[in-house]
Amino acid sequence: MHAIVVTEPGGPDALRYRRMPDPVAGPGEVLVRTRAIGVNYRDVYVRRGEYPAELPIPGLEGAGEVVAVGEGAEVAVGDRVAWAYGRSSYAELVAVPADQCVPVPDGIDWQVAGGALLQGMTAHYLLESVHRPAPEEPVLIHAGAGGMGQLLVQWAAARGAKVITTVSTDEKEKLAREAGAWHVLRYGDDLAGQVRELTDGEGVHAVYDGVGAATFEASLASLRPRGTLALFGSASGRVPPFDLQRLAELGSLLVTRPVLPHFVRTRAEVLWRANEVFGALSGNVLRVRFGGTYALSEAEQAHRAIESRATTGSLVLLPD
């Protein structure tokens, strides 16, 4: 098979398209021929050596057809499956733990199944398990025109939240408004002041921040007393250490750094979140916009696109 490999940490050119031995489905695993592979910012952290991962093949997310089943795996050859938290997914063949595979419903195409599940399940745990916004409750979502941001904005708005979001260009503002944002703001020194102006001086109940270092201080300053900051990513870099006493001074704030694996610890939780995502997609509550599709051999270009933060949607790799 062909796969993308990383032999040492580096920039996008560290991603090499190589022929590799075919994997084998071990006990509790299924072997899947991939049809679409999601590209996520976590893959960038892994390529840079900032996150631990099983290399040389990176990648967490994908979708395809089961071609072999290991002992004890309750999946059949020919099943259409997707996964949001597997391993070594940048490949034509992937051995995936069966308990992380979910059936792909009829009507969900490969590109959506392989490129939207991880972001969709992330949006689900943020809005369902970290802070569930009440109807009419103001929240702030950073980067509302990215693949992750658009799903968060759509789902929060569909639940009745008053979504304030941040973008960097007029084009991205248009996309964020189409996703259902109540107000769209530009990044800048006065961001928190604008948020407070929109909320009668109170601030928002929650901030969903996948940007990190560049937005962290504005996120804190945008919260009302006892508000929650969900720092679920660090696209601009990690947040430096800070004095926890500040949380009391700013209004007894809550800050959490959640990651998807801790919210899919059981088979029931995996199926619950995945089925909610597919149901929202099938019901047009969520619409996926793709910012680019690339051949598997073009993974380097896909990583350059996602790191530029100029993309306006999800990215996928399609096996050659």
Side-chain angles (χ1 to χ4, degrees):
M1 71 165 186
H2 284 94
I4 297 296
V5 301
V6 176
T7 56
E8 59 183 23
D13 58 354
L15 299 168
R16 306 294 176 85
Y17 185 63
R18 299 274 176 82
R19 184 173 290 279
M20 297 289 286
D22 290 355
V24 175
E29 294 182 332
V30 295
L31 186 65
V32 182
R33 184 169 300 280
T34 54
R35 300 291 293 271
I37 301 157
V39 178
N40 297 282
Y41 216 94
R42 191 184 189 285
D43 303 339
V44 173
Y45 304 144
V46 168
R47 190 204 71 223
R48 292 173 180 166
E50 297 172 10
Y51 278 20
E54 292 185 29
L55 294 174
I57 302 174
L60 295 175
E61 176 185 33
E65 297 162 332
V66 175
V67 295
V69 178
E71 182 181 354
E74 296 181 1
V75 181
V77 171
D79 283 357
R80 286 165 32 100
V81 298
W83 58 96
Y85 212 82
R87 62 181 184 274
S88 303
S89 294
Y90 282 21
E92 293 174 333
L93 292 169
V94 182
V96 186
D99 61 2
Q100 288 296 321
C101 285
V102 296
V104 177
D106 294 338
I108 300 291
D109 66 29
W110 287 122
Q111 189 167 309
V112 170
L117 188 59
L118 188 150
Q119 292 178 341
M121 291 174 74
T122 299
H124 186 267
Y125 84 69
L126 288 170
L127 296 171
E128 186 70 31
S129 303
V130 174
H131 178 84
R132 183 172 187 168
E136 298 299 309
E137 186 176 282
V139 299
L140 174 61
I141 296 172
H142 285 300
M148 181 71 232
Q150 288 187 55
L151 291 179
L152 262 177
V153 170
Q154 289 177 71
W155 221 342
R159 291 179 173 214
K162 298 168 76 171
V163 177
I164 303 167
T165 192
T166 51
V167 300
S168 57
T169 67
D170 290 345
E171 177 193 4
K172 290 183 176 182
E173 178 175 346
K174 182 175 182 293
L175 293 173
R177 291 192 184 281
E178 290 174 353
W182 174 50
H183 280 282
V184 182
L185 304 176
R186 296 291 193 272
Y187 300 103
D189 294 338
D190 63 341
L191 175 60
Q194 293 181 71
V195 170
R196 291 192 174 277
E197 186 175 338
L198 291 170
T199 56
D200 298 323
E202 282 290 303
V204 294
H205 290 262
V207 179
Y208 304 94
D209 188 342
V211 177
T215 52
F216 181 70
E217 289 297 332
S219 294
L220 286 177
S222 297
L223 286 165
R224 66 180 57 200
R226 291 164 54 187
T228 298
L229 169 52
L231 184 72
F232 66 92
S234 50
S236 67
R238 294 192 178 192
V239 173
F242 74 104
D243 182 2
L244 290 177
Q245 182 61 29
R246 291 185 60 206
L247 300 180
E249 296 163 357
L250 291 169
S252 298
L253 304 182
L254 301 175
V255 177
T256 181
R257 180 59 177 90
V259 291
L260 179 60
H262 297 150
F263 293 85
V264 287
R265 297 185 66 194
T266 66
R267 177 64 175 164
E269 206 165 32
V270 171
L271 291 173
W272 170 48
R273 297 196 192 279
N275 288 337
E276 291 266 311
V277 172
F278 285 140
L281 290 166
S282 298
N284 291 319
V285 173
L286 296 180
R287 299 176 304 280
V288 181
R289 176 187 174 88
F290 286 96
T293 57
Y294 300 82
L296 177 60
S297 57
E298 297 173 328
E300 177 181 340
Q301 293 93 310
H303 272 230
R304 292 190 187 280
I306 198 171
E307 281 189 278
S308 74
R309 293 178 58 191
T311 57
T312 53
S314 303
L315 301 179
V316 293
L317 304 174
L318 305 177
D320 299 324

